Amino acid sequence: MAGTAINFVSVCIGAPVTLHVQKYKDESNSITTWKFEETFMNYRANYSLTRNGMTLRIKEALPFHSGIYIALVKSKEKTRKVTFKVSVEGK
């Protein structure tokens, strides 16, 4: 599985957070799934997906949103992992 860099994101409580994965040319028919820590996400009211799942948005970040988010981009040839470490801090 390709991808090892960690993208660090720090926001204040209540601010929106946007995690975006760049799509490569050979990923035109890819499927993207997201994990929070090690669990596949179910997209509750405070989350939204855009751009064919390539962008995950947290509408109003709270401390419990802090942690590791992983996007798994699966194409015919490979699976690529993109990791984000989100820190939600006081105002």
Side-chain angles (χ1 to χ4, degrees):
M1 186 177 318
T4 57
I6 296 177
N7 301 284
F8 293 92
V9 179
S10 181
V11 297
C12 291
I13 292 173
V17 179
T18 301
L19 308 177
H20 178 70
V21 178
Q22 183 67 38
K23 185 176 264 192
Y24 298 146
K25 288 181 183 180
D26 64 342
E27 295 174 338
S28 60
N29 293 321
S30 64
I31 296 172
T32 303
T33 54
W34 288 84
K35 294 169 96 176
F36 177 63
E37 300 297 338
E38 290 300 319
T39 304
F40 284 100
M41 296 182 66
N42 68 7
Y43 305 101
R44 298 181 297 262
N46 204 28
Y47 296 97
S48 64
L49 286 175
T50 59
R51 299 183 189 189
N52 296 331
M54 300 299 281
T55 301
L56 174 70
R57 186 167 191 268
I58 303 169
K59 296 173 188 169
E60 293 181 32
L62 297 172
F64 65 83
H65 292 114
S66 294
I68 302 293
Y69 290 81
I70 299 169
L72 298 171
V73 183
K74 298 178 185 178
S75 63
K76 282 185 176 182
E77 298 79 27
K78 64 182 178 186
T79 298
R80 181 169 59 99
K81 177 175 149 181
V82 181
T83 304
F84 298 87
K85 182 173 182 174
V86 174
S87 297
V88 180
E89 302 167 358
K91 293 184 178 185

